[in-house]
Amino acid sequence: MGKIVAGIGSSHVPSIGVAYDQQQQESPEWKPLFDGYTPAKDWLEEIGVTHTIVLYNDHGTDFFYDKYPTFAMGAADEYPIGDEGWGIRPLPSVKGDSDFSWHLANSLVLESEFDLTVCQEMVMDHGLLVPLPVLFSHQPDWSVKTVPLAVNVLQHPLPTAKRLWKLGLGLRAAVESYPEDVRVAVIGTGGLSHQLHGERFGHMNADWDNEFMDRIEDDPKSLIDISHKELMERGGAEAVEMMMWLGMRGALSPKVEKIHRNYYQPMLSGMGLTVMADAS
Amino acid sequence: MSTDAEDKENIPGTSVFTGHKSKKGYALNRFAYSLHEENNREAYRENPDQYMDSCGLSNWEKEKVNARDWKALINDGGGSIYMLIKIGAVTGDGLVAIGAQQRGESVEEFMKSRNVPLRQNM
């Protein structure tokens, strides 16, 4: 049967992808960030993750505001790397598992009443492509199969934090009803504090970021009623992305084993990482 | 009654990308979004005004894009940063330049306020 073995919260700041491709892992500016991912990657390999479900948002790679889905899940066996304006990153196409995706879709829509847009073609965005290569080996090919789950955190009205939490609960039920022995890591991406629109551009809040990570790990239910306004006031307008970490956390056991954590706040965004083992 | 999303606009210095903004900035954002394709970047590079005309931009929008007036495009034009940054991919304007302008600062001033001034600044 399917089992959720790990939950990960990770920022998806695009400059991390640029620095990764330029092999700046050892540069003084980037070492504090990349060193945080090494133990996470090693642990994920050790526990034998076969599949990931990644909650992320598309920043105008595959989706535009002509039709911008609130929740869109991939159901393909391969997902091409997108061109976001700067060319295509040197990564292998993301490996999918359409059978697993369709199972998740059936369970989410019919059992959890979570009406998703299901996409048989989907082009990958930095929201997913920043965290995935720093967490899983991918040369010559990915060590895991991935289900991309895109969430609207760009164009208001956005889904609520509570809705993301419920999505996580639905994902857990869906994974656990899958007959194959998949070992799943759920990854919530985005944040932490950052603001890109308005005079408060560059706003960051390390205290809030660390409080948020504490609560995600130890007391996630205390976050499910948080409003968009509070998320934006404390973390900046674009920090609403942090709701996707709640989707990840909802998919885990109430108590978790804390494996690893990292925080770095160099430039425009709080860059957070938390890795948790499911305790069930 | 105003919508919840509009209420959020009361956060000082904060522009929230609401449905109303998305409607207002639709042509502008669609033009910027189109630059995720290399052939469109090429067309824009070769003849900016002609390409913007083909995307249905108004004179005000073309003027502000040509002037790199990001602040006006965001505050008054309904521009979404995630789309506008793709214009920067062609013109060479980075996120820091767009951000510093919104704050009313020079890039140098803005960089002094950062913990670690990274070379990649997206």
Side-chain angles (χ1 to χ4, degrees):
Chain A
M1 298 296 279
K3 183 169 168 40
I4 289 177
V5 293
I8 299 152
S10 172
S11 296
H12 63 222
V13 179
S15 60
I16 299 172
V18 178
Y20 182 82
D21 294 344
Q22 293 176 349
Q23 298 179 323
Q24 293 208 30
Q25 285 84 341
E26 295 297 321
S27 75
E29 299 98 323
W30 284 103
K31 195 171 165 54
L33 184 278
F34 287 112
D35 278 359
Y37 282 90
T38 308
K41 188 180 178 193
D42 290 347
W43 179 75
L44 289 164
E45 192 172 336
E46 189 186 306
I47 63 167
V49 173
T50 63
H51 288 68
T52 69
I53 299 170
V54 185
L55 285 79
Y56 73 106
N57 57 298
D58 181 285
H59 307 75
T61 301
D62 200 11
F63 294 114
F64 178 60
Y65 304 132
D66 57 340
K67 19 182 130 54
Y68 201 82
T70 302
F71 297 105
M73 194 174 75
D77 291 321
E78 193 179 324
Y79 302 96
I81 310 299
D83 180 348
E84 303 192 29
W86 296 264
I88 295 173
R89 287 183 61 193
L91 294 168
S93 292
V94 171
K95 215 164 21 169
D97 180 343
S98 55
D99 289 339
F100 182 49
S101 287
W102 281 114
H103 168 81
L104 296 178
N106 275 297
S107 177
L108 284 166
V109 175
L110 299 175
E111 305 298 329
S112 301
E113 298 182 339
F114 232 101
D115 310 319
L116 301 158
T117 301
V118 180
C119 306
Q120 296 200 75
E121 289 189 53
M122 215 172 178
V123 178
M124 293 298 96
D125 174 280
H126 74 260
L128 181 143
L129 293 174
V130 163
L132 210 59
V134 289
L135 291 169
F136 297 98
S137 61
H138 51 282
Q139 297 298 348
D141 203 358
W142 294 94
S143 62
V144 286
K145 294 180 176 177
T146 292
V147 178
L149 209 172
V151 180
N152 172 27
V153 288
L154 296 196
Q155 179 183 258
H156 293 248
L158 313 178
T160 61
K162 188 181 274 174
R163 189 71 174 142
L164 267 298
W165 174 258
K166 286 181 178 170
L167 175 62
L169 300 179
L171 282 171
R172 184 176 188 87
V175 168
E176 289 183 341
S177 65
Y178 193 54
E180 307 284 328
D181 290 329
V182 293
R183 292 173 62 78
V184 179
V186 181
I187 308 175
T189 76
L192 296 171
S193 57
H194 67 303
Q195 177 155 333
L196 306 177
H197 288 94
E199 289 161 27
R200 204 170 64 137
F201 179 97
H203 171 78
M204 295 190 285
N205 185 344
D207 289 342
W208 165 236
D209 289 345
N210 283 292
E211 179 191 328
F212 181 83
M213 289 202 286
D214 288 343
R215 287 164 71 180
I216 278 283
E217 290 165 355
D218 298 325
D219 189 16
K221 277 193 159 176
S222 72
L223 289 165
I224 66 178
D225 289 318
I226 197 166
S227 66
H228 297 145
K229 183 166 185 182
E230 185 178 350
L231 284 165
M232 292 194 292
E233 271 174 342
R234 299 182 78 169
E238 278 58 54
V240 287
E241 289 176 350
M242 287 155 77
M243 291 192 294
M244 294 187 288
W245 290 42
L246 265 180
M248 169 277 292
R249 187 62 180 86
L252 299 185
S253 50
K255 294 276 178 206
V256 291
E257 187 189 342
K258 290 183 265 185
I259 303 295
H260 180 66
R261 185 157 148 181
N262 196 57
Y263 185 72
Y264 185 46
Q265 193 205 40
M267 178 82 178
L268 294 178
S269 308
M271 298 177 180
L273 171 70
T274 178
V275 182
M276 294 166 280
D278 196 271
S280 66
Chain B
M1 201 181 108
S2 64
T3 66
D4 183 41
E6 303 304 322
D7 287 341
K8 290 171 196 138
E9 297 195 50
N10 298 327
I11 304 168
T14 301
S15 174
V16 178
F17 193 69
T18 59
H20 286 126
K21 291 225 178 74
S22 193
K23 180 179 173 183
K24 190 175 192 179
Y26 191 74
L28 170 68
N29 290 324
R30 190 179 51 188
F31 148 69
Y33 169 70
S34 76
L35 302 174
H36 78 288
E37 290 181 20
E38 176 55 32
N39 58 332
N40 293 334
R41 294 197 287 272
E42 194 56 44
Y44 176 47
R45 217 175 274 126
E46 274 178 18
N47 194 332
D49 282 330
Q50 189 181 311
Y51 184 70
M52 285 190 282
D53 281 337
S54 76
C55 294
L57 263 57
S58 68
N59 286 335
W60 183 88
E61 288 166 329
K62 283 193 290 181
E63 193 184 297
K64 297 300 176 194
V65 171
N66 285 333
R68 312 283 177 261
D69 192 343
W70 311 107
K71 189 172 181 169
L73 290 169
I74 289 168
N75 288 347
D76 308 322
S80 161
I81 190 79
Y82 299 113
M83 304 302 155
L84 297 183
I85 189 69
K86 297 175 197 295
I87 303 174
V90 176
T91 62
D93 296 86
L95 189 58
V96 166
I98 298 174
Q101 193 190 72
Q102 291 185 77
R103 286 163 62 108
E105 292 175 350
S106 68
V107 169
E108 292 69 29
E109 282 169 333
F110 177 68
M111 291 300 268
K112 280 183 197 153
S113 72
R114 302 295 98 188
N115 299 328
V116 182
L118 295 176
R119 281 166 289 190
Q120 299 79 23
N121 56 34
M122 282 183 52

